[in-house]
Amino acid sequence: MRTVLLFLSILFTLTGCVSPDRSKAVVVIDAGHGGHDSGAISGEKLEKNLVLSIAKKVRKALRRNGHPVYLTRSGDSFLKLGQRTRIADRKEAMIFLSIHANASPNPKKNELLSGVETYYLQKSRDARSQRIAERENAAVLMGTDELSKDVIIDSVLNGPKIVESHKLAIDIQREMLKRMKGEYHDVKDGGVRPGPFYVLVGASRPSILVEVGYLSNTKERQRLFESDYQNAIAKGIASGIGRYLDNRKKEIDI
Ligand SMILES: [Zn+2]
């Protein structure tokens, strides 16, 4: 066993793998949109403000668990595509997490659509995933031509991080729902889904995007701007990251 552990430790040193020790696992949290890009707008509430508030609560919860944490933006500023993920490279982050809020594409469905969804980067034929990705991509892709879009997305789709991102998405979605349903029984589980989100493209580490709820749904919008609800989301995300790292550590220990 000792030889195996020694071998693994040499292997990880040589391959540059980062230890899944929580206290060393740097997390970068990206609050979506910012500046002139408000994201979804509903009932005079702006997505960019909501996701920044939640990102700060996630930072607090993760720091309490011992993680070094960085935000891509801590104020109301716009970041270009690349700036968001570049910070993850600079800080040698182990996990990249982008936070967004959803909106119904059809006013008739405003009160029908609600719930939490977690996405990992993958081309998807699912019309709903494509529509949501298109909306989230709009501002970050301004000025990028179709060919470049295909090149950047293809460059990562076969990478090993896709599998890890999927695992991370499952753990975060599960823990978020568990935490939220404890206090708000009717929260809808929108599931883990693949989607072509460009903010995840440049990240060479497990990376996911959380849609915390629908601003277009009156009841959910009210909850989303309540501090207790935001804390439930934040603690759920933090415990999902903890679970993912624990599972990864177990895989290494075997
Ligand atoms: Zn968004």
Side-chain angles (χ1 to χ4, degrees):
M1 190 64 185
R2 190 175 286 177
T3 323
V4 175
L5 288 175
L6 182 66
F7 171 74
L8 283 174
S9 100
I10 292 168
L11 183 70
F12 280 108
T13 311
L14 290 174
T15 54
C17 285
V18 188
S19 157
D21 181 349
R22 282 193 194 197
S23 63
K24 290 179 190 144
V26 177
V27 181
V28 165
I29 306 164
D30 170 52
H33 311 279
H36 64 80
D37 172 21
S38 300
I41 304 172
S42 205
E44 295 181 0
K45 298 288 191 184
L46 308 181
E47 179 186 350
K48 65 173 182 176
N49 297 335
L50 171 71
V51 295
L52 181 60
S53 171
I54 294 174
K56 287 180 176 173
K57 286 184 161 61
V58 178
R59 174 173 64 181
K60 195 173 167 190
L62 284 168
R63 281 187 175 161
R64 209 177 285 139
N65 291 349
H67 292 280
V69 187
Y70 300 92
L71 299 184
T72 54
R73 68 176 176 97
S74 53
D76 186 20
S77 50
F78 178 76
L79 301 171
K80 286 183 192 157
L81 180 66
Q83 281 178 296
R84 294 182 189 268
T85 49
R86 211 167 294 138
I87 184 170
D89 286 332
R90 263 206 321 271
K91 301 294 181 188
E92 298 184 342
M94 197 173 195
I95 285 168
F96 179 85
L97 167 78
S98 190
I99 301 178
H100 288 258
N102 231 325
S104 154
N106 177 352
K108 285 181 187 160
K109 290 189 175 172
N110 278 1
E111 307 306 330
L112 293 175
L113 294 175
S114 68
V116 192
E117 296 155 13
T118 302
Y119 288 86
Y120 62 101
L121 179 69
Q122 186 64 277
K123 279 182 177 169
S124 170
R125 287 189 187 157
D126 175 40
R128 180 170 152 182
S129 296
Q130 281 180 359
R131 172 183 56 73
I132 292 169
E134 235 166 65
R135 186 174 59 72
E136 299 293 15
N137 288 336
V140 283
L141 281 180
M142 204 88 81
T144 312
D145 61 62
E146 288 301 321
L147 182 65
S148 309
K149 286 182 201 172
D150 275 351
V151 169
I152 45 183
I153 205 158
D154 284 342
S155 68
V156 291
L157 275 179
N158 295 319
K161 295 304 171 201
I162 300 286
V163 175
E164 287 304 313
S165 298
H166 189 197
K167 287 182 187 173
L168 175 64
I170 291 169
D171 287 333
I172 286 185
Q173 179 75 5
R174 187 180 293 150
E175 292 297 314
M176 255 193 315
L177 261 295
K178 200 201 285 179
R179 180 73 65 154
M180 293 165 83
K181 274 182 178 290
E183 295 163 59
Y184 307 86
H185 307 293
D186 54 350
V187 174
K188 197 175 146 209
D189 181 359
V192 169
R193 296 159 178 271
F197 291 90
Y198 282 86
V199 69
L200 303 179
V201 165
S204 48
R205 59 199 30 82
S207 305
I208 58 128
L209 183 145
V210 179
E211 294 278 358
V212 293
Y214 280 77
L215 280 180
S216 44
N217 182 296
T218 313
K219 186 177 175 184
E220 196 154 72
R221 181 173 63 246
Q222 278 166 359
R223 281 181 175 176
L224 281 166
F225 282 88
E226 285 169 12
S227 190
D228 285 351
Y229 197 73
Q230 292 184 7
N231 278 326
I233 294 171
K235 286 176 184 168
I237 290 174
S239 109
I241 288 175
R243 178 184 273 260
Y244 167 78
L245 292 172
D246 289 347
N247 287 341
R248 195 159 172 260
K249 193 166 187 302
K250 275 185 213 149
E251 284 169 15
I252 292 169
D253 286 345
I254 287 168

